[in-house]
Amino acid sequence: MTFPDPGRAGVAAVRIRQGDGSPELSAPAPAAGRLSHTVFTGDEGWFTYEQWAHEPEPDGSEFHLYRSTRRPDAPPAGCVVLVSVAFDSPDEARLKAWVDTIFEALADSRPHPGGISAHFHFSADGTRVANYAEWVSEAAHLDALGETGFVGSSPKFQVAQAFPGLVGSTVRRYRPIGHLDVADRTGTD
């Protein structure tokens, strides 16, 4: 299955939508500027990740990539972990400080061999962060959550968990089930 490239050149905005139940698998209606559309499913619902060459018509699901990291020896991804973090009010400077704290926690920790990448996005309204993180498998991510020495034990991670204005977060694992890329018109695979 094809995974989108969150670091793709020419992306001005990303739409991330989540839902419960089964996702809609039909191809999205053509839209000028949409570069890709990927559908993911998991035990707790679904999400879509769309890349746009320009700012799409606002609907509350728009995000912008802020910061990424990727292993240089990255193996193929087997799942995406979507970490959604909400804050009590719009404040882009606070979102940047929170993500930068997470990067400091990652630098202080021993990386898990199952982790591949992390791509932090800010919502257009300045209240949410979405981390699109690639892992080799769901089992590897679950193993990392239970490991000492992983990012969760870093003092910087504890700072991030108690960050001013943080009101909630979710961590969910997904696998891609459909991908459409305008550049290659492959459709779902």
Side-chain angles (χ1 to χ4, degrees):
M1 182 53 62
T2 302
F3 286 76
D5 174 7
R8 180 181 186 165
V11 174
V14 170
R15 275 194 168 148
I16 299 173
R17 295 183 177 118
Q18 291 180 270
D20 297 322
S22 298
E24 175 62 48
L25 281 180
S26 61
R34 183 186 295 126
L35 300 172
S36 73
H37 176 88
T38 307
V39 180
F40 295 84
T41 189
D43 293 340
E44 299 183 63
W46 56 269
F47 89 96
T48 59
Y49 186 90
E50 291 182 348
Q51 295 174 312
W52 290 77
H54 58 74
E55 295 291 331
E57 183 84 21
D59 70 2
S61 67
E62 296 78 27
F63 286 80
H64 301 96
L65 183 63
Y66 167 59
R67 192 170 176 187
S68 294
T69 185
R70 184 174 189 80
R71 282 176 42 183
D73 62 340
C79 83
V80 167
V81 176
L82 185 64
V83 181
S84 302
V85 181
F87 289 86
D88 61 4
S89 60
D91 186 344
E92 189 172 303
R94 177 173 51 191
L95 300 183
K96 287 181 179 180
W98 185 84
V99 170
D100 294 344
T101 301
I102 293 293
F103 269 76
E104 291 171 15
L106 290 168
D108 289 348
S109 303
R110 179 177 47 83
H112 188 280
I116 297 171
S117 68
H119 306 276
F120 290 86
H121 301 72
F122 295 161
S123 63
D125 69 1
T127 63
R128 296 170 288 145
V129 175
N131 176 15
Y132 174 104
E134 295 171 313
W135 283 78
V136 295
S137 68
E138 293 180 34
H141 182 254
L142 288 168
D143 181 61
L145 291 177
E147 225 181 77
T148 57
F150 184 60
V151 69
S153 64
S154 165
K156 287 289 184 178
F157 187 72
Q158 305 306 320
V159 169
Q161 287 184 314
F163 220 75
L166 181 80
V167 295
S169 64
T170 60
V171 177
R172 295 191 174 144
R173 287 164 291 282
Y174 299 95
R175 8 179 223 293
I177 57 172
H179 178 76
L180 173 68
D181 192 309
V182 172
D184 64 21
R185 289 291 190 194
T186 58
T188 58
D189 54 358

